[in-house]
């Protein structure tokens, strides 16, 4: 859940970080509060020594520390999410032209703010490197203005309704708020000491989205149409950036034409320079196929669309004003702004004791009535509240890492509905300089619930080594909204974050687990095979940084498989012949037998399994003779599929909800009454999309042990075809019958699966024989992906030549899959059976509708990977497989040729076992029609569910679905392992 992505460290560095708690890179805080430094232009006709600073109604003497030139830290931030493509490209052109002037100020970094905020050029004082980096942005990197795209989509509606406007407003507001929060949090992380220039290139934005949608509704306008909470206003953002020490130079090109094209009489190289840059990038292999520099050099026509943003440059102007910067929209203004920055001087002054901070400041010439000089308007000695609020909102979106120190929080609800928070910190953290920010999502209130200095909180006595505090929680408790808890250093970069567990009034009130156990995940790291598909013997090693470890236990799928009493703490585990999802866990115990650290790995997890396993209490805990009663700690391991978001984990005793956790560690204490100790503990994990996973363990059973309760509903997705082979929809449940091993079973659930979320894998043959065919395949597959339902359906991409590779993990961000398709390059032979198994690994455990679509030219078959292994694993996963085979010989002979008959037969056997199909096409044929037919089938499925009779051990059970009606045929998986 990270604001910034931390790179993988070397093993020794990782262990050192585990043992010592490595600090974040960078200064991360503004300059010392006692002495403040500003970069100001010299006053007209005067010397810098004649300047004074006005702060909080006081006149403070200032000292001239000489020219600021070469002392600036310059960061060029190009905003891809608040720019149109022409704005981003022209901003890169303007800044490249002024690279030398920026270098004159100090080392220059280049940062791109898109879906992630990444540094594309580390700090350098080489102007050519800055020029090349910006040229790369100009030629290769795209932009998509989040507000404009949302409003254009809304404008395409024939008759906008109030409901549609409200939905569009909420979506636009959420995206914009999210992006601004990420930018502000990044600015706080990146801040340092000394003069700092943020060259912010963007098209700007509309800070009042509701006004646009009210105007669009016309007569339908609703006064109550508003976003759930206000956006951070530009003044708040500018004030926070000023406190952090940034001066903003906002660059927002106004000219829509391509600025590289020379105007009449202009001697700039223009298109010739672009052609040269393009050839240089091509030589480095850094230009995408299809990029034409001549097209990039054409002047864009003025847009005829109405104005969709009201004064988008206004927020940028305000950011510049509050931080002492400038606003530039063309070459002339940018040149003047950089010239003015070069002339600035470093002015320092002391903040007197007792002055309330942050404070607004103004630099004036002594005795003059002129306007204050341009400089930062706000200074302070603490992290701005706006940054804490932004980070808390990011935490609600699960975009903060665990943090630099461990903490755990439990929100207890009283009978009258009020609540308080018990917050525990790891030993060694100084609570005196910490701020606690609480936030909770809600449609009718701001996300941030309050800020509190931890020094003002009530400490709890008798907590041993733990640092524990009690805090009141303002506002009413919403059990459907997790409480985000963010703890930050006021004058440093360290922080911790978590979601508070929720305990009801009837839940047992006992102390939470010790920080040694809860924070132990930092003291152990489990290493295993890095491959995404692992079978057979595999080695796992536990790296332990905790002291006084007596032993390490290894578990496979919850069962103890090995114990190690000394280093190396390693074990070899047989994962079996098929790449099934397996969970390996290591637990380190202290010399006294207490658990000190734990970590787990999921092998062959793919991207779709919601796995819930109760780790404690274990099987066999408690009996009628010696019941397990009182406060019983329940611990669960929860694995969330890639591309999904965990909503909550609930703990139940019998049918009563005991507690809710929104983030790891997933532990809760359940009160088992001595008067009625028999019952079961249930742990339920819920994803944001409604998916549920659970595990159940009985306690104090009559036979002297605990047992697991496995309740499996078999889900079948069925396609019904008529005589013409086309899908038939609109049938009722009474038309269907389901048979397992020849025995009719009762249908428990039935419905139309057409609108259910779909997870689809694309496996594309990228072997050397695909060199000519690949572009056509890429286009057809891209059209299929673009036809999926955005924000609902998920897709992933596997390319296979010599070996299969995961080109894009499962995601609802479908344009990312399309971009991954564009990057495929042909190479090697065709490993089709291995590729299918590899793709199915990504699908195994995916709930709901799923399918795999494989494209191959059938030039090779894959002699090194057994077909029977592929067939058995396909039966295990149970996802329909559609194979598109483009091969002229197979089409010409109808698959009867000696060289292809066996291969085609194996493909048909494979697809038939899982309810899929094989499509034969000629090379160059219309693939769009095939993909459309597959899409139609997937939208025409029925959902049937039944409870399978229990059996002894795992066995293959044959399934049949019959449908009543002349000429109707039902197709689904041929069986399953139970």
């Amino acid at each position: 859940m990270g604001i910034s992505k931390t790179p993988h460290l070397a093993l020794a560095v990782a262990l050192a970080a585990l043992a010592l708690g490595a600090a974040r890179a960078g200064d991360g805080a503004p300059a010392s509060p006692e002495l403040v430094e500003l970069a100001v232009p010299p006053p007209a006709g005067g010397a810098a020594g004649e300047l004074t600073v006005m702060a909080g109604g006081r006149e403070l003497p200032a000292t001239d520390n000489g020219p600021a030139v070469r002392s600036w830290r310059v960061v060029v931030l190009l905003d891809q999410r608040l720019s149109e493509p022409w704005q981003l490209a022209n901003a890169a052109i303007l800044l490249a032209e002024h690279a030398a002037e920026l270098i004159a100020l100090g080392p220059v970094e280049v940062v791109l703010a898109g879906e992630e905020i990444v540094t594309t050029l580390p700090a350098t004082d080489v102007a050519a490197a800055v020029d090349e980096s910006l040229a790369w942005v100009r030629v290769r990197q795209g932009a998509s203005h989040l507000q404009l795209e949302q409003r254009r989509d809304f404008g395409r509606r024939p008759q906008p309704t109030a409901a549609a406007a409200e939905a569009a407003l909420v979506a636009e507001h959420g995206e914009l708020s999210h992006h601004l929060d990420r930018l502000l949090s990044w600015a706080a992380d990146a801040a340092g000491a000394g003069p700092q220039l943020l060259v912010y290139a963007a098209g700007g934005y509309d800070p009042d989205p509701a006004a646009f949608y009210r105007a669009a509704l016309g007569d339908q306008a609703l006064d109550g149409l508003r976003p759930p909470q206000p956006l951070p206003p530009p003044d708040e953002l500018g004030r926070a950036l000023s406190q952090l020490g940034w001066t903003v130079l906002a660059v927002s090109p106004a000219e829509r034409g391509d600025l590289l094209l020379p105007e009449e009489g202009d001697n700039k190289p223009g298109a010739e320079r672009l052609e040269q840059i393009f050839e240089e990038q091509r030589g480095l292999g850094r230009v995408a196929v299809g990029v034409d520099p001549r097209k990039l050099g054409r002047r864009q026509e003025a847009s005829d669309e109405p104005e969709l943003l009201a004064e988008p440059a206004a927020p940028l102007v305000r950011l510049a004003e509050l931080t002492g910067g400038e606003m530039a929209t063309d070459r002339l203004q940018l040149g003047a702004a950089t010239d003015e920055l070069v002339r600035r001087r470093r002015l320092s002054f002391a903040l007197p004791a007792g002055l309330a901070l942050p404070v607004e400041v103004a630099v004036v010439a002594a005795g003059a009535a002129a306007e204050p000089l341009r400089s930062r308007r706000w200074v302070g000695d603490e992290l701005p509240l706006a940054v804490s609020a932004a980070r808390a909102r990011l935490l609600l979106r699960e975009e903060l890492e665990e943090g630099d120190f461990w903490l755990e929080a439990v929100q207890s609800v009283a009978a009258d509905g009020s609540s308080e928070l018990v917050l525990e910190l790891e030993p060694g953290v100084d609570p005196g300089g910490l701020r606690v920010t609480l936030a909770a999502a809600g449609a009718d209130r701001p996300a941030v619930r309050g800020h509190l200095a931890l020094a003002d909180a009530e400490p709890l006595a008798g907590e041993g080594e733990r640092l524990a505090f009690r805090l009141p929680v303002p506002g009413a408790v919403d059990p459907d909204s997790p409480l985000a808890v963010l703890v930050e250093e006021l004058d440093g970069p360290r922080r911790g974050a978590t979601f508070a567990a929720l305990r009801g009034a009837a839940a047992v009130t006992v102390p939470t687990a010790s920080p040694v156990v809860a924070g132990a995940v930092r003291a152990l790291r489990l290493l295993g095979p890095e491959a995404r598909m692992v079978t057979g013997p595999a080695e796992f090693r536990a790296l332990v940084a905790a002291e006084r470890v007596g032993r390490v236990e290894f578990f496979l799928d919850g069962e103890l498989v090995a114990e190690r009493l000394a280093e190396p703490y390693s074990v070899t585990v047989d994962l079996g012949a098929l790449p099934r999802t397996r969970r390996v866990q290591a637990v380190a115990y202290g010399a006294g037998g207490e658990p000190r650290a734990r970590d787990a790995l999921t092998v062959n997890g793919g991207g779709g399994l919601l796995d819930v396993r109760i780790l404690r209490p274990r099987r066999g805990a408690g009996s009628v003779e010696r019941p397990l009663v009182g406060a019983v700690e329940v611990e669960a391991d929860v694995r969330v599929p890639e591309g999904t978001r965990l909503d909550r984990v609930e703990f139940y005793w019998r049918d009563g909800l005991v507690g809710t956790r929104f983030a790891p560690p997933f532990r809760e204490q359940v009160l088992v009454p001595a008067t009625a100790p028999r019952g079961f503990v249930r742990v339920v994990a819920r994803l944001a999309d409604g998916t549920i996973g659970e595990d159940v363990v009985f306690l104090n059973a009559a036979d002297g042990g605990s047992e697991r309760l496995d309740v499996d509903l078999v889900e079948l997705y069925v396609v019904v075809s008529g005589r013409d082979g086309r899908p038939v929809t609109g049938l009722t449940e009474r038309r269907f019958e389901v048979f397992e091993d020849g025995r009719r079973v009762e249908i428990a659930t039935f419905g139309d699966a057409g609108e259910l979320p779909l997870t689809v894998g694309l496996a594309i043959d990228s072997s050397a024989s695909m060199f000519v065919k690949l572009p056509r395949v890429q286009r057809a597959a891209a059209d299929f992906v673009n036809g999926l339902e955005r924000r609902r359906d998920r897709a992933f991409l596997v390319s296979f030549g010599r070996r299969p590779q995961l080109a894009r993990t499962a995601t609802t961000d479908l344009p990312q899959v399309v971009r991954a398709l564009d990057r495929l390059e042909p190479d090697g032979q065709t490993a089709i059976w291995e590729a299918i198994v590899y793709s199915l690994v990504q699908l195994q455990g995916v709930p709901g509708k799923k399918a795999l679509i494989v494209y191959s030219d059938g030039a090779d078959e894959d002699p090194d990977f057994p077909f029977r292994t592929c067939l058995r694993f396909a039966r295990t996963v149970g996802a329909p497989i559609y194979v598109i085979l483009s091969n002229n010989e197979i089409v010409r002979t109808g698959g009867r040729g000696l060289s292809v008959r066996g291969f085609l037969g194996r493909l048909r056997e494979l697809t038939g076992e899982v309810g899929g199909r094989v499509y034969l096409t000629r090379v160059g044929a219309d693939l769009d029609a095939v993909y459309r037919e597959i899409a139609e089938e997937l939208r025409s499925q029925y959902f049937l569910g039944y409870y399978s009779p229990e059996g002894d051990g795992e066995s293959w059970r044959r399934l049949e679905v019959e449908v009543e009606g002349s000429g109707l045929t039902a197709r689904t998986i041929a069986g399953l392992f139970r």
Side-chain angles (χ1 to χ4, degrees):
M1 302 189 300
I3 291 178
S4 57
K5 304 297 180 184
T6 305
H8 294 294
L9 303 177
L11 184 58
V13 178
L15 284 174
L18 287 170
L20 302 176
R24 289 183 185 268
D27 296 292
S32 169
E34 290 78 17
L35 190 66
V36 177
E37 189 170 68
L38 301 176
V40 298
E50 301 173 356
L51 300 179
T52 59
V53 177
M54 300 299 299
R58 304 187 191 185
E59 183 175 308
L60 307 178
T63 302
D64 179 10
N65 295 316
V69 67
R70 295 304 303 160
S71 64
W72 288 90
R73 175 185 170 220
V74 182
V75 179
V76 175
L77 180 70
L78 298 117
D79 196 330
Q80 296 172 287
R81 299 285 285 146
L82 291 180
S83 302
E84 292 217 78
W86 65 269
Q87 291 171 322
L88 189 77
N90 284 345
I93 293 168
L94 290 175
L95 293 170
E97 291 175 354
H98 290 82
E101 290 92 329
L102 294 175
I103 289 291
L105 295 171
V108 175
E109 306 167 41
V110 178
V111 177
L112 273 178
E115 295 297 333
E116 296 181 1
I117 301 179
V118 295
T119 299
T120 62
L121 179 70
T124 180
D125 56 4
V126 179
V130 177
D131 180 68
E132 180 184 343
S133 177
L134 293 170
W136 171 245
V137 172
R138 162 77 167 91
V139 173
R140 186 69 175 87
Q141 300 297 330
S144 177
H145 198 296
L146 63 90
Q147 281 190 303
L148 286 173
E149 289 304 311
Q150 181 69 44
R151 295 182 182 187
R152 285 167 182 156
D153 287 344
F154 177 76
R156 296 187 186 104
R157 297 175 178 269
Q159 292 183 334
T161 63
E166 184 173 8
L169 171 60
V170 170
E172 177 184 316
H173 174 276
E175 287 192 55
L176 181 56
S177 174
H178 181 200
H179 186 65
L180 294 176
D181 285 344
R182 288 170 62 239
L183 289 176
L184 184 55
S185 183
W186 168 86
D189 282 337
Q196 301 174 116
L197 178 65
L198 179 63
V199 184
Y200 179 50
Y205 65 96
D206 180 0
D208 183 15
F212 168 81
Y213 292 99
R214 290 195 197 99
L217 287 176
D219 294 337
Q220 304 178 63
L222 300 175
D223 293 336
L225 183 65
R226 67 186 193 281
Q229 49 192 287
L231 288 168
D235 276 24
E236 180 181 281
L237 297 175
R239 174 172 169 171
L241 290 173
S242 180
Q243 284 180 243
L244 292 167
W246 290 104
T247 296
V248 176
L249 169 56
V251 179
S252 185
E255 173 60 54
R256 292 184 65 91
D258 192 304
L259 297 181
L260 271 182
L261 286 180
E263 302 291 343
E264 186 174 350
D266 190 349
N267 293 323
K268 287 186 171 59
E272 293 180 5
R273 172 58 180 150
L274 178 59
E275 184 80 32
Q276 177 187 348
I277 293 171
F278 180 83
E279 292 301 328
E280 291 171 354
Q281 302 296 335
R282 191 208 303 274
L284 296 172
R286 295 176 63 183
V287 171
V289 175
V291 174
D292 186 345
R294 293 165 297 180
K295 292 181 180 179
L296 290 174
R298 293 174 185 162
R299 183 173 298 278
Q300 300 183 32
E301 298 295 332
S303 174
D304 293 330
E305 72 176 3
E307 290 295 330
L308 298 179
L309 298 179
E311 299 186 72
L316 306 185
V317 172
R318 191 58 178 157
L319 292 182
E321 289 177 352
L322 291 173
T323 60
E326 300 273 3
M327 174 75 180
T329 62
D330 54 31
R331 287 187 175 97
L332 184 62
Q333 291 179 351
L334 183 58
T338 52
D339 288 346
E340 192 268 353
L341 288 167
V342 167
R343 293 186 295 107
R344 290 199 181 189
R345 303 184 69 82
R346 302 178 67 168
L347 195 72
S348 63
F349 60 95
L351 289 172
L355 187 65
L357 299 177
V359 63
E360 188 171 7
V361 299
V363 180
V364 296
E371 289 290 323
L373 298 180
R374 188 177 294 271
S375 66
R376 290 193 290 122
R377 293 267 292 275
W378 289 88
V379 298
D381 64 338
E382 294 183 352
L383 188 71
L385 285 175
V387 174
S388 297
R391 287 173 173 167
R393 289 189 291 264
L394 288 171
L395 178 56
L396 288 172
R397 296 183 175 95
E398 298 192 4
E399 293 205 12
L400 273 173
E401 293 176 351
E402 182 185 50
D404 303 286
F405 49 81
W406 171 87
L407 70 151
E408 186 168 355
V410 177
Q411 183 182 8
S412 298
V413 184
D416 62 0
S418 63
S419 68
E420 64 179 16
L421 189 73
V422 174
L423 180 65
E424 297 180 32
L425 302 173
E426 67 183 25
V429 176
D430 178 15
L434 298 180
R435 173 192 293 154
V436 180
T437 300
L438 304 179
D444 58 349
R445 63 175 181 270
V448 176
R449 302 278 290 274
H451 305 278
L452 178 69
L454 198 55
D456 299 332
E458 176 190 353
L460 295 180
E463 298 296 329
E465 293 184 345
R466 291 176 295 165
L467 299 173
F469 301 87
R470 180 180 286 117
L471 300 81
V473 179
V477 176
D478 183 356
D480 294 323
S481 179
L483 184 68
V485 182
L486 176 67
V487 180
E488 301 169 288
E489 290 181 338
L490 292 173
D491 57 356
R494 301 180 70 213
R495 60 179 176 266
T498 190
F499 289 97
L502 184 63
R503 286 200 180 128
V508 57
T509 306
V510 294
T512 56
S514 73
V516 175
V517 176
V521 68
R522 292 180 165 274
L524 184 148
R525 178 169 296 175
L526 181 61
L527 303 180
E530 295 184 359
R532 297 186 71 93
M533 188 169 73
V534 186
T535 58
E539 184 180 11
F540 296 85
R541 183 180 181 189
L543 303 178
V544 180
E547 298 179 358
R548 299 182 300 279
V549 169
R551 73 181 192 279
V552 175
E553 293 180 347
F554 293 88
F555 298 82
L556 177 63
D557 296 335
E559 300 294 331
L560 180 65
V561 294
E563 179 183 77
R564 298 290 181 264
L565 303 179
E567 292 188 299
Y569 300 112
S570 62
V571 63
T572 298
V573 178
D574 188 355
L575 300 176
L578 297 178
R580 296 184 178 181
T581 302
R582 312 299 295 269
R583 189 70 163 165
V584 180
Q585 186 183 43
V587 181
Y589 296 88
E594 73 283 2
R596 294 185 59 82
R598 67 178 72 248
D599 194 14
L601 289 176
T602 298
V603 183
N604 302 323
L609 179 66
L610 174 59
D611 186 30
V612 181
R613 294 180 183 274
I614 295 177
L615 304 178
R616 288 186 290 174
R618 297 181 184 173
R619 298 171 69 108
S623 67
V624 174
E625 291 77 17
R626 300 184 62 183
L628 191 64
V629 296
V632 175
E633 184 168 272
V634 179
E635 180 177 6
D637 182 44
V638 179
R639 194 185 75 84
V640 178
E642 293 181 22
T644 64
R645 183 173 62 83
L646 180 69
D647 184 65
R648 71 191 63 203
V649 175
E650 298 169 335
F651 293 78
Y652 293 82
W653 166 245
R654 295 177 178 166
D655 292 324
L657 178 64
V658 173
T660 305
R661 292 202 171 240
F662 302 94
F666 298 112
R667 289 193 310 274
E668 191 54 77
Q669 288 168 328
V670 174
L671 183 61
V672 178
T675 54
R678 292 183 60 187
F680 57 89
V681 170
R682 185 162 63 106
V683 177
V684 180
R686 303 178 187 272
L687 301 184
D689 62 8
T691 302
I692 295 176
E694 66 177 296
D695 195 12
V696 180
V697 170
F698 278 99
L699 295 185
N700 309 315
D703 61 0
S706 299
E707 57 182 278
R708 290 186 181 273
L709 177 64
D710 292 320
V711 180
D712 286 335
L713 176 71
V714 177
E715 300 177 353
L716 300 179
Y717 289 87
V718 181
V719 174
V720 177
S721 303
R723 287 192 176 92
D724 59 358
R726 299 290 300 277
V728 177
T729 59
L731 301 178
T732 59
E733 178 182 347
R734 65 177 182 81
R735 305 279 289 273
F736 291 85
E737 288 185 311
V738 179
F739 298 86
E740 183 181 283
D741 282 344
R743 298 188 302 272
R744 185 177 180 275
V745 295
E746 181 180 354
I747 298 175
T749 59
F750 176 86
D752 179 359
E755 296 305 316
L756 293 179
L758 169 68
T759 300
V760 61
L762 298 176
I764 304 293
D765 185 345
S766 57
S767 60
S769 61
M770 289 290 298
F771 183 79
V772 175
K773 312 163 198 172
L774 190 56
R776 184 185 296 269
V777 178
Q778 289 169 309
R779 286 195 298 271
D783 289 342
F784 171 83
V785 172
N786 287 327
L788 297 175
E789 188 68 28
R790 296 188 67 176
R791 298 185 177 89
R792 184 194 71 181
D793 296 337
R794 297 198 304 155
F796 65 86
L797 176 64
V798 169
S799 66
F800 61 97
R802 184 176 295 107
R803 296 293 302 274
Q805 293 182 329
L806 187 62
R808 186 63 179 87
T809 55
T811 178
T812 56
D813 188 356
L814 301 177
Q816 292 280 356
V817 181
V818 173
R819 286 192 282 273
L821 276 164
D822 291 339
R823 292 193 291 267
L824 296 184
E825 295 182 359
D827 180 48
Q829 293 182 317
T830 309
I832 188 168
W833 307 129
E834 184 179 4
I836 291 174
V837 171
Y838 184 83
S839 302
L840 291 174
V841 166
Q842 319 310 316
L843 278 176
Q844 67 176 327
V846 171
K849 285 205 311 180
K850 54 193 172 186
L852 175 63
I853 304 174
V854 183
Y855 175 90
S856 177
D857 63 2
D860 303 292
E861 184 177 341
D862 194 0
D864 298 327
F865 198 93
F867 164 72
R868 288 294 159 188
T869 299
C870 178
L871 177 62
R872 180 174 174 83
F873 190 60
R875 285 173 163 180
T876 301
V877 176
I881 302 173
Y882 297 88
V883 178
I884 305 172
L885 196 60
S886 290
N887 186 295
N888 289 344
E889 181 185 356
I890 293 178
V891 174
R892 180 178 58 80
T893 64
R896 293 185 295 272
L898 292 177
S899 62
V900 297
R901 185 166 52 196
F903 175 49
L904 185 58
R906 286 185 283 275
L907 282 177
R908 284 174 170 160
E909 180 183 3
L910 173 69
T911 57
E913 287 290 293
V914 292
R917 298 176 65 178
V918 177
Y919 294 86
L920 302 180
T921 67
R922 290 187 178 275
V923 175
D926 182 13
L927 295 176
D928 292 333
V930 177
Y931 277 104
R932 282 196 299 270
E933 187 171 331
I934 296 173
E936 184 182 12
E937 273 207 5
L938 294 174
R939 288 194 298 266
S940 304
Q941 290 176 325
Y942 297 89
F943 170 76
L944 284 76
Y946 74 94
Y947 291 101
S948 176
E950 294 185 4
D952 297 328
E954 185 180 72
S955 62
W956 171 253
R957 301 189 183 185
R958 179 65 59 177
L959 292 176
E960 293 177 274
V961 176
E962 295 183 359
V963 59
E964 177 189 345
S966 177
L968 298 183
T969 303
R971 194 170 75 249
T972 187
I973 58 174
L976 74 162
F977 286 97
R978 285 281 296 158

